[in-house]
Amino acid sequence: LAEMCNGEQSPLSVLAAIEGRLDPIDPDVWPEGPPPVLATSSWDRDALLAAFATSLPILMPSLDLKLPQLPDSICPSEAGFFLAWVALLGVDAVVESGRGSGGSTAFWCRSPTWARLVIFSIDRAHRKTSADAVAGCAQVSLIEADAFQALRPLLNSLSDKRVGLFVDGPKGRVAVKLALELMAEFPSIVLVGLHDVHRLSPYYQSKGMHKTRAALEEAGCLTFFSDEDWFVKSWATLDRDWDLGDAGSLG
């Protein structure tokens, strides 16, 4: 809060940090007001999901998902889930917010040659682990900045691209609100991935951690989750060499 008062952080950035650490939070109160209401998608969810599921046996083997585990990284099945959507929707630019140790960025750099991605990865802190993780990846730009300030100028410069946005920071409903605002503002965004979207289970409800998922499901978008039973049954084996601890309900 002192950083916010001194002008070093935006209020929304501070709220994101608070929401990511304090549970439970009143499920009826949105930080800084509710997100925009998007027009209901005209796409048929069942048809799109069927196309996605059918494409996975072709797309997954073309992905190089055998990477060393980095702290707090998304896991291989989650990376494959997002990259398969990247391929299916013709995304040619990935914009990532919340790089952390660089695990997810390293996965984007391993996308197959048919996905000629340009990758922009934003994080407030530069970490040597993230630079090492993407060493040799010519198409990635590591940006040290506050995502709340850096995302809009960057997305303005990508108006001619089909953008896949991946938000791993901020967390919680702040992440949902930010994503919805950006989708409403930038038609170039055709795909959004959010990390740490927990199942609507009694365990996560008791900790207030289900509210991100509830907010996302109410957002008026077509939503798909990597912890849906059909996906876990077929592709959880991608994570067999990783120590996931209690991270079995990430979306």
Side-chain angles (χ1 to χ4, degrees):
L1 291 176
E3 290 180 349
M4 181 181 71
C5 294
N6 292 334
E8 298 175 20
Q9 284 198 56
S10 68
L12 192 58
S13 179
V14 174
L15 286 166
I18 293 173
E19 173 132 337
R21 291 171 173 79
L22 298 181
D23 292 308
I25 298 172
D26 183 351
D28 298 321
V29 178
W30 279 91
E32 289 196 349
V37 177
L38 301 182
T40 303
S41 174
S42 60
W43 290 9
D44 184 288
R45 185 187 189 278
D46 291 340
L48 189 58
L49 182 59
F52 178 69
T54 302
S55 70
L56 286 177
I58 301 170
L59 296 175
M60 285 296 202
S62 68
L63 301 173
D64 183 359
L65 300 175
K66 294 186 180 299
L67 291 178
Q69 185 171 359
L70 292 174
D72 302 317
S73 173
I74 65 172
C75 58
S77 66
E78 292 172 324
F81 186 86
F82 183 74
L83 285 173
W85 280 113
V86 163
L88 190 65
L89 297 177
V91 168
D92 53 13
V94 167
V95 173
E96 176 181 46
S97 169
R99 177 174 62 252
S101 59
S104 54
T105 322
F107 281 121
W108 314 151
C109 288
R110 299 297 185 93
S111 60
T113 55
W114 43 257
R116 299 285 184 185
L117 293 179
V118 290
I119 303 162
F120 301 89
S121 182
I122 302 170
D123 201 282
R124 293 188 64 203
H126 177 76
R127 297 173 175 85
K128 184 178 184 299
T129 54
S130 60
D132 292 344
V134 300
C137 180
Q139 70 264 38
V140 67
S141 298
L142 301 183
I143 301 170
E144 186 176 348
D146 184 333
F148 292 107
Q149 300 174 6
L151 277 169
R152 283 178 170 84
L154 176 58
L155 290 167
N156 267 325
S157 72
L158 298 173
S159 59
D160 61 338
K161 298 288 189 182
R162 292 177 62 82
V163 176
L165 176 66
F166 187 83
V167 182
D168 200 3
K171 301 284 190 182
R173 292 173 299 162
V174 175
V176 177
K177 183 174 187 290
L178 177 64
L180 292 175
E181 289 177 350
L182 294 175
M183 290 173 68
E185 190 173 340
F186 296 97
S188 56
I189 297 175
V190 298
L191 170 68
V192 174
L194 299 179
H195 195 217
D196 295 330
V197 181
H198 297 277
R199 282 181 182 264
L200 297 176
S201 68
Y203 171 80
Y204 288 111
Q205 284 178 310
S206 70
K207 295 181 175 295
M209 296 166 64
H210 66 293
K211 294 166 190 163
T212 308
R213 193 173 187 122
L216 192 57
E217 291 181 330
E218 296 169 0
C221 307
L222 292 179
T223 54
F224 306 90
F225 298 95
S226 64
D227 61 4
E228 293 181 22
D229 292 338
W230 71 268
F231 184 80
V232 172
K233 182 178 179 180
S234 298
W235 300 104
T237 54
L238 294 171
D239 306 326
R240 60 180 174 269
D241 296 328
W242 280 42
D243 179 10
L244 300 181
D246 296 326
S249 295
L250 300 181

